[in-house]
Amino acid sequence: MEYRQLGNSGLRVSTLTMGTMTFGGSGGFSRIGTTDVEAATRQFDLCREHGVNLIDTANMYSVGVSEEIVGEAVKGQRDEWLLATKVRFPMGDGPNDAGLSRHHILNQAEASLRRLQTDYIDLYQLHEWDGHTRLEETLGALETLVQQGKVRYVGVSNYTGWQLLKALGIAERDRLPRFASEQIYYSLHGREAENELLPAAVDQGLGVLVWSPLAGGLLSGKYTRGADGQVEGPKGSRHIGDWSEPPIDYPDRLFATIDVVRKIADGRGVSGAQVSLAWLLTRPGVTSLIVGARTDEQLADNLAAAELTLTADEIAELERVSRPPLLYPYWHQHAAAKDRLSPADKVLLEQYYD
């Protein structure tokens, strides 16, 4: 297992992170998984054997149950793990039971600490943008938690480029906690993060944690194009129901990508999931991929991606088949700014000069 620095922080994390959205299975999360404490303990043991050192969860996963399972499963082993969790989404029906107000952040941090059975959270992440709360209030609440020793690093998730840079600017101006990382959706099928979020991470020194790196399983190799042109997969697969995250946009490009993933996988004697994950680990700025699984077998297969090294030709073929068209102003910069591209600019544009 390779370990990479989490942005400009001194923290080193494994290139694969254990995701826990499958833990609990309460409410709508039953469509994702129903992992209990016993199964979670087995999966953590497997992850530890492969060198994984980061567990990612959120207070809203199964409305707190995921955190509770994590707390039970790491009991007696807390110092062997980095624990990351998140705050933002509703945790009750009250008017102040959601968002990024000081009230909600401080209350939910205490609740997460109790559920996780720990005195501190290694990485506390803002789970989503809150357009109703001033960033000064949100970052000030994080400062309180850091000063109290209850949070060691802070991060953000699902922000746009301008929201991210605004928050970083306010943090610098007011000497408030600066994000160590951003957690984003990124995959061979969903490459929008290359437009702003990955370049921003490279430019600003943020670590990048990738959620749903297999596009909700679409890139695992188990899905095919049906006779009607729609996605077909095993019974019970999340995209065969009403689960729409991430969305299935541009199906022609998706199926062309899946074909190449399968071809490379068959030629290397590995799974499509391993190929898809290994490609992401070659991308600029990426620190760690968050992988989760309903079964131990799925998890073991995903973990094997850390040992797969793709050839330059395989990387290039996957990039070309999944490449989206450049949006404005990137197509203009591609044509007119080649002589003055920074490392951050090259995250997106350099691959289009072939």
Side-chain angles (χ1 to χ4, degrees), residues 41 44 68-78 81 116-117:
T41 302
F44 288 170
E68 291 174 354
I69 292 173
V70 171
E72 285 293 322
V74 302
K75 189 182 295 184
Q77 305 171 353
R78 175 63 181 93
W81 293 103
L116 292 167
Q117 301 183 51

Side-chain angles (χ1 to χ4, degrees), residues 50-336:
H50 281 76
V52 173
N53 71 346
L54 176 59
I55 297 170
D56 180 75
T57 187
N59 62 345
M60 57 89 69
Y61 294 167
S62 292
V63 197
V65 177
S66 176
E67 286 185 328
E68 291 174 354
I69 292 173
V70 171
E72 285 293 322
V74 302
K75 189 182 295 184
Q77 305 171 353
R78 175 63 181 93
D79 292 340
E80 299 180 30
W81 293 103
L82 300 172
L83 296 184
T85 191
K86 313 179 194 74
V87 61
R88 160 62 170 85
F89 289 106
M91 292 297 289
D93 297 326
N96 293 303
D97 289 339
L100 294 175
S101 67
R102 182 177 183 85
H103 172 89
H104 187 64
I105 288 175
L106 296 183
N107 281 356
Q108 285 305 307
E110 295 292 347
S112 289
L113 289 167
R114 288 193 298 270
R115 289 189 288 260
L116 292 167
Q117 301 183 51
T118 185
D119 297 326
Y120 64 94
I121 296 164
D122 292 287
L123 178 63
Y124 200 41
Q125 302 159 105
L126 307 179
H127 205 165
E128 177 64 88
W129 175 252
D130 176 1
H132 288 184
T133 304
R134 296 172 67 245
L135 282 163
E136 288 85 349
E137 178 177 343
T138 296
L139 297 172
L142 296 179
E143 169 74 359
T144 297
L145 293 170
V146 171
Q147 291 299 320
Q148 291 174 344
K150 296 175 180 178
V151 167
R152 295 189 171 176
Y153 298 90
V154 298
V156 69
S157 182
N158 301 317
Y159 274 33
T160 64
W162 74 263
Q163 292 161 354
L164 176 63
L165 268 294
K166 181 177 180 179
L168 291 173
I170 290 173
E172 182 174 358
R173 183 195 69 192
D174 295 347
R175 298 185 179 181
L176 294 169
R178 192 178 192 275
F179 301 139
S181 62
E182 59 173 342
Q183 187 174 140
I184 62 174
Y185 168 57
Y186 183 36
S187 75
L188 270 167
H189 180 55
R191 295 176 54 181
E192 298 91 341
E194 294 174 359
N195 292 327
E196 291 288 338
L197 297 176
L198 284 173
V202 170
D203 183 70
Q204 295 295 311
L206 298 178
V208 174
L209 306 177
V210 176
W211 63 264
S212 202
L214 295 177
L218 288 171
L219 297 166
S220 65
K222 64 185 178 182
Y223 289 92
T224 59
R225 187 199 296 260
D228 58 357
Q230 300 301 309
V231 171
E232 288 187 353
K235 184 178 180 181
S237 301
R238 72 177 75 172
H239 279 290
I240 305 304
D242 58 356
W243 190 266
S244 60
E245 187 177 292
I248 304 176
D249 297 325
Y250 311 105
D252 289 340
R253 190 164 73 224
L254 168 63
F255 290 117
T257 301
I258 290 174
D259 288 343
V260 173
V261 167
R262 281 190 178 139
K263 183 189 76 171
I264 294 173
D266 290 345
R268 299 291 296 271
V270 299
S271 69
Q274 290 177 40
V275 170
S276 299
L277 294 172
W279 181 83
L280 278 176
L281 288 175
T282 70
R283 304 304 294 157
V286 170
T287 308
S288 185
L289 312 180
I290 301 171
V291 297
R294 297 187 185 189
T295 68
D296 296 353
E297 293 74 21
Q298 288 176 342
L299 178 60
D301 183 75
N302 287 345
L303 292 173
E307 303 169 7
L308 177 63
T309 300
L310 299 175
T311 68
D313 287 343
E314 289 168 340
I315 293 169
E317 186 176 11
L318 288 165
E319 193 284 316
R320 283 192 297 269
V321 73
S322 64
R323 179 186 295 175
L326 284 173
L327 302 175
Y328 175 81
Y330 306 111
W331 57 258
H332 197 280
Q333 293 178 359
H334 174 265

